[in-house]
Structures are given as structure tokens and as C-alpha cells.
Amino acid sequence: MSAYYLSKYEKLQLLGTGSYGSAVLVRPKANKSKRFVIKEIWIKEKNQEEIESARQEAALLEQMSHRNVVSYIESFFGGEYDYILFHVFTIKFYI
């Protein structure tokens, strides 16, 4: 796990996993009232093309701004994982 990640964020809950990694609910250590999602992309056993694809995803999300896309905050790389940080998208249902 990235030293940068550990220094800035506290893991709260695993939200889901897939073949390329997992999504984790986190909060910044500096502002514990905020919540974000970090996509942890496991790159240790991936080939160079798959690693580049993951990093291109982060670069594309950084440039994207659309009301139907969860907004990108930052990405960083560290050891066995690449990380992409997003705002949390929540829906409230009223019955």
C-alpha cells in the first residue's frame, strides 16, 4: 500500500472487488466528515499494456467533467497498486 495513501486516508469499508482490484470507502485524516472512494487497481502481476490501460483510465477521468460521471479527485501510484480517488455518489430514496 502506498505511503501517500496511508498518510492521507483512513479505510472505512470495502465496497466491492473485481478482477482488477477493489473499491474502498475512505475518509481523509485531515477532515473526518468527508467520504471518498478509492479504486485500488492491482498491477503487480499485470503486463505493461494492462498497467498503461489503468493509468490511461486515470488520465481520462482527470479530464472528464460530466454530470453523469462520478468526479475524479486524484490518482497516485504505489507498489503493487495504482489508486484513483473519486467523490462518493449517494442516492437518497424517499417512499
Side-chain angles (χ1 to χ4, degrees):
M1 186 172 295
S2 161
Y4 175 79
Y5 179 174
L6 290 173
S7 71
K8 287 189 71 172
Y9 302 100
E10 177 184 351
K11 281 187 172 187
L12 299 176
Q13 177 182 358
L14 177 65
L15 299 175
T17 59
S19 59
Y20 280 92
S22 57
V24 179
L25 182 67
V26 299
R27 69 177 169 202
K29 290 181 177 180
N31 184 345
K32 295 195 180 228
S33 66
K34 290 188 176 185
R35 300 288 185 271
F36 301 109
V37 173
I38 287 186
K39 181 177 181 181
E40 300 176 329
I41 304 165
W42 192 51
I43 61 168
K44 182 178 180 183
E45 295 180 7
K46 304 297 183 205
N47 63 41
Q48 192 60 37
E49 185 177 314
E50 292 170 313
I51 293 169
E52 283 303 313
S53 177
R55 293 185 177 166
Q56 286 175 355
E57 176 187 4
L60 177 65
L61 289 167
E62 184 176 12
Q63 297 172 17
M64 191 176 288
S65 176
H66 190 278
R67 66 184 182 149
N68 294 333
V69 177
V70 177
S71 58
Y72 165 96
I73 300 171
E74 69 175 327
S75 60
F76 43 96
F77 315 111
E80 299 177 352
Y81 291 89
D82 282 357
Y83 304 91
I84 304 174
L85 184 68
F86 299 93
H87 285 281
V88 173
F89 179 75
T90 58
I91 300 174
K92 293 182 181 179
F93 292 99
Y94 299 97
I95 298 177

